[in-house]
Amino acid sequence: MIEHFFPSLKRWAEGFVSEHGYTALFILSFTESIIQPIPPYPFITGAPLFKLDPYKAGLVAFWGNIAGAIVAFFLAKFLGENFVRKLFKDSLYTKGEALFNRYGFFAVLLGEPYKLVCWLAGLFSMPFFTFLIASLLARAVRIGIFVFFGDLLGRFLS
């Protein structure tokens, strides 16, 4: 889907991961939790195509996502509501606010887009430890699924 909106960004990301491997995957995962639209999941599943191990790719993406989430959480506290509203547009912000206020921990656990959830958690003063636990669980499960399929692809290609 992303290739329809940002074809040059998709091509750049593929080249970036091909050239820089795990480092590129960490950077993409980190920035995806804050602002950019390219998720790490296709690169985890496709890790064997990039000559990467899907388990290492998943671990790198996991820690990149968590580090970026922490940055987004604290940026929201620092930059405030006006900035977050401009960043995500009022309609998305309002939907996210309703979801977040109603479900709290579960909004972080299940909510997407993850970057919005991270910003709103910081903005709405969710306790950091609660946010961190929900993020660790959510990302571990989500990334774990893509690692599983990356492993299957690697076995198929061998």
Side-chain angles (χ1 to χ4, degrees), residues 42-55 57 146-147 149-158:
F43 300 106
I44 298 166
T45 301
L49 301 173
F50 292 97
K51 297 183 179 27
L52 302 174
D53 175 78
Y55 292 96
F146 289 95
V147 167
F149 287 110
D151 184 55
L152 283 179
L153 179 62
R155 290 170 193 246
F156 177 76
L157 294 175
S158 310

Side-chain angles (χ1 to χ4, degrees), residues 34-35 75-76 79-94 97 115-116 119-120 123-124:
I34 300 169
I35 191 64
L75 277 174
L79 297 172
E81 182 177 351
N82 288 337
F83 181 84
V84 175
R85 277 185 180 275
K86 287 178 187 171
L87 185 63
F88 290 105
K89 311 248 185 316
D90 274 337
S91 62
L92 189 56
Y93 175 90
T94 303
E97 181 180 26
K115 62 185 93 351
L116 175 64
W119 284 88
L120 293 180
L123 187 64
F124 299 143

Side-chain angles (χ1 to χ4, degrees), residues 87-151:
L87 185 63
F88 290 105
K89 311 248 185 316
D90 274 337
S91 62
L92 189 56
Y93 175 90
T94 303
K95 287 177 188 176
E97 181 180 26
L99 179 72
F100 198 88
N101 286 334
R102 184 169 182 183
Y103 297 108
F105 176 86
F106 293 101
V108 176
L109 197 60
L110 302 171
E112 286 293 330
Y114 185 57
K115 62 185 93 351
L116 175 64
V117 171
C118 296
W119 284 88
L120 293 180
L123 187 64
F124 299 143
S125 299
M126 177 180 225
F128 177 71
F129 186 71
T130 302
F131 167 72
L132 187 59
I133 294 298
S135 289
L136 289 168
L137 291 171
R139 296 294 102 179
V141 169
R142 181 175 287 264
I143 289 172
I145 291 167
F146 289 95
V147 167
F148 172 77
F149 287 110
D151 184 55

